[in-house]
Amino acid sequence: MSGYIHGYDIGTKMGWGVLDSDGERVDSGVWDLSPAHHQSHSWRYVMLARHVRGLLKKYPPQAAFFELVEAHKGTYAAQMHGSYRGQLLSQMLHEGVNFSGVTVANVKRAATGKGRATKAQMVAAALEQWAHGCATDDEADALFTALAGLRGQL
């Protein structure tokens, strides 16, 4: 696989990570998609589309992966997750990028060797793997989502 590998941890605080084809960290961070006080809630989708298009342009991907969360804390969380996932899928399809889900257990397994890990363990594993201190567990999850996808651990 040549080119960049993108990973996304879907949520209002959306973690994103970019790896090279050898699994080395290129860039990563977190996008806060919370609308400002004066903005409508739909503004978050405009912000997400802008962020994703910018990342796709800066780091053209060979493939992109998202953490496949199948259980949510409530109806609203499930609706938001589905909306963000749809927006990501739309951007990837528009650019012709392969986009697949990675189970939560496989994301954790890529980080710690086990299918379960705490937020703190994910951040510590990212520091160990890439010598990069992730700002949040969302960023760490995104990087390990990309790594699991690269390794074919879907």
Side-chain angles (χ1 to χ4, degrees), residues 3-6 17-28 128-132 143 146-147 150-151:
Y4 296 108
I5 308 302
H6 290 207
V18 178
L19 303 178
D20 67 16
S21 59
D22 293 323
E24 294 299 319
R25 180 188 168 276
V26 175
D27 202 354
S28 59
E128 184 177 327
Q129 175 78 29
W130 294 288
H132 170 72
L143 286 165
L147 185 62
L150 177 64
R151 291 176 176 169

Side-chain angles (χ1 to χ4, degrees), residues 67-131:
E67 187 174 27
L68 184 58
V69 176
E70 295 179 341
H72 301 279
K73 293 180 181 178
T75 303
Y76 185 71
Q79 291 170 339
M80 294 304 303
H81 187 273
S83 296
Y84 290 139
R85 184 172 159 185
Q87 183 62 249
L88 273 171
L89 177 60
S90 175
Q91 295 299 317
M92 297 302 163
L93 288 173
H94 181 66
E95 296 297 324
V97 177
N98 294 323
F99 190 56
S100 301
V102 177
T103 65
V104 172
N106 282 338
V107 171
K108 307 303 182 196
R109 198 169 285 116
T112 66
K114 300 176 186 171
R116 300 176 70 100
T118 65
K119 294 174 185 285
Q121 288 171 323
M122 294 300 290
V123 171
L127 181 61
E128 184 177 327
Q129 175 78 29
W130 294 288

